[in-house]
Amino acid sequence: MVCNWGRASRASHGEAHPPVCHPCCLCQIRDRLTRLAAMSLLSLTNPPGWSVCSTVYILILLLPEAKADDLNATTTSNGGGSQCGEYTNQLMEDGMCRLVATLPQLDERRCPDMFRCSDEVSYWLHENEERKRQIVALKETISELQEELRNHRHRIKVLELQSEERAHLNTSLEQRFHELELHYAEATTLLHLQGSLILDLQNQLHNLTLLMDKVKRSPGCLINIVHPNPIMDAQEALHPEILHARNCPIDCASIYYNGVRRSGFYSVVPSMAGMPLEVYCDMETDGGGWTVIQRRVDGSVSFDRSWRDYKDGFGDLHSEFWLGNDHIHDMTTQGRYSLRIDMEDWSNKHKHATYQSFSVEDEEHLYRLHVSGFSGTVQDSFSWYHDKQAFSTPDSGNICAEISHGGWWYNQCFYANLNGVYYRGGHYTPKTRGPLGPDGIVWHSWKDSDYYSLRKVAMMIRPRSFRSRLSP
């Protein structure tokens, strides 16, 4: 039995299932089987010699119309069970679908139940169509899944690109972070160093404050033993005359060694006295470090003074003064000192005299003078005549002091008298102050005269082994 149903329903190429015929042919199959069954029933009454199996045989003889070599499709299914045989649908070259049913002959020459077989064929075709719909739905699902897979791959690619960008950004950030760590380490080191310096300065300030408080409470600093200054070199430390107290300078040279390079007023504590003394320090002349013990500049201070005044000192450190014999003695006996005398006449000429050794004894020995080792730009009028002489004042009974109206180391009067009367203009006459003799600020060898009074004079001392240094 052959049924041409029309165009077959084709699946996509490469599918596992063969082409399936459309189930619209089921009606034709059922009608034909019904007619065959009716004819079989009629043959039982009309033509003698026809049996039931003859009908089955006729059906079987009809089957060769669909030969295997005329088909281009493969048998796709088996249906009907043990009584209904086999059913195949095949796709022809012209696109038509052919259904072939083979009905077996049963035992005792019984033919199959045609109605039952047609139901099985219908059921088989229905299952085939259901599978087709499932396959179509599965294909759609697969297409959706493939589309979703492509979308996922696209998103993965985007994420990979973003990840690469983030990785690059992370690398840049890590490099920047490393650079910041290095800068932070440097800044921390500098900050630590700055903190250490600030702490050191605070400690120094604290120590200086304590020292100032101590000096105020105990002006002498309680220093009677002098220690070397730590900033002096080993060669200087060998000389006792340049031993200094670090916190209580004994003279202007020790202030210079402590780093001060500017002329001005400072407090020193001579080691032999232990009491502070205000002095003027010359940090410029011949390398600096000079402690000024006498100065004449304008005649604003009278030097016609008593023994007591010359002992303690008088005048104004800003202009004219005498430091005091006690202080000069204390300073010159704490080491070996030199003396420098700077002079200026009324023509603005400057000259100086330097003495390598200078010292003054105490009051008990009348402040006896020891001066030697002359050098300078003017002839000596001081050491050769006044060395080893005692100090005298107008009230001490010394006639030369009375005549000269000042205190000095007079011999038989003087060849140098730097504490005499201040005469403006330089030249003066014996009758200016009286008939007794010259009494001006005299350095005899300057003008070879006792009647020329100098315009400016300064006497200053410092340790003999002083060595000047460059300013820091």
Side-chain angles (χ1 to χ4, degrees), residues 90-270:
Q90 295 164 332
L91 183 64
M92 304 303 291
E93 290 181 355
D94 57 359
M96 301 299 290
C97 181
R98 175 176 292 176
L99 175 65
V100 179
T102 302
L103 303 180
Q105 183 177 346
L106 303 178
D107 295 338
E108 300 179 358
R109 304 183 64 82
R110 288 188 306 105
C111 292
D113 185 349
M114 296 300 170
F115 293 101
R116 178 183 177 187
C117 291
S118 62
D119 289 339
E120 287 189 8
V121 170
S122 177
Y123 175 78
W124 176 77
L125 293 175
H126 176 74
E127 289 295 321
N128 227 19
E129 184 66 19
E130 185 66 23
R131 289 191 184 93
K132 177 183 177 183
R133 287 194 298 269
Q134 292 176 357
I135 290 172
V136 172
L138 183 60
K139 288 172 59 179
E140 293 177 353
T141 302
I142 291 173
S143 298
E144 293 175 358
L145 292 175
Q146 288 177 342
E147 181 67 22
E148 187 174 355
L149 179 60
R150 284 193 294 270
N151 294 335
H152 279 302
R153 287 177 177 173
H154 178 71
R155 286 195 291 270
I156 290 173
K157 187 64 177 179
V158 172
L159 291 175
E160 288 178 349
L161 294 177
Q162 292 178 351
S163 177
E164 291 179 358
E165 292 178 357
R166 290 193 184 95
H168 180 70
L169 180 60
N170 290 338
T171 302
S172 301
L173 291 176
E174 288 178 359
Q175 183 177 0
R176 180 59 178 167
F177 181 73
H178 180 66
E179 294 176 356
L180 291 176
E181 283 184 335
L182 294 178
H183 291 322
Y184 177 76
E186 294 177 358
T188 302
T189 302
L190 293 176
L191 185 61
H192 178 71
L193 178 61
Q194 183 182 20
S196 300
L197 293 175
I198 291 175
L199 182 61
D200 184 54
L201 290 176
Q202 288 177 342
N203 291 333
Q204 293 184 20
L205 181 61
H206 177 69
N207 294 335
L208 182 60
T209 302
L210 294 179
L211 179 62
M212 292 299 296
D213 292 340
K214 185 176 180 180
V215 169
K216 290 179 181 179
R217 293 192 301 269
S218 178
C221 294
L222 301 179
I223 295 178
N224 293 318
I225 300 176
V226 183
H227 302 283
N229 190 308
I231 65 173
M232 295 189 301
D233 56 31
Q235 184 66 27
E236 293 171 343
L238 297 176
H239 301 283
E241 69 272 14
I242 57 172
L243 301 182
H244 308 288
R246 179 176 177 83
N247 295 324
C248 294
I250 61 176
D251 55 20
C252 292
S254 61
I255 293 176
Y256 181 95
Y257 284 133
N258 281 329
V260 179
R261 303 292 190 269
R262 180 177 296 179
S263 299
F265 304 98
Y266 301 93
S267 292
V268 298
V269 184

Side-chain angles (χ1 to χ4, degrees), residues 48-101:
W50 287 65
S51 64
V52 176
C53 292
S54 299
T55 305
V56 175
Y57 177 75
I58 293 172
L59 289 174
I60 294 173
L61 291 179
L62 294 175
L63 293 175
E65 292 181 9
K67 297 179 180 179
D69 53 3
D70 294 332
L71 305 176
N72 293 327
T74 305
T75 300
T76 60
S77 181
N78 183 355
S82 59
Q83 295 181 356
C84 298
E86 295 179 354
Y87 316 104
T88 59
N89 62 344
Q90 295 164 332
L91 183 64
M92 304 303 291
E93 290 181 355
D94 57 359
M96 301 299 290
C97 181
R98 175 176 292 176
L99 175 65
V100 179

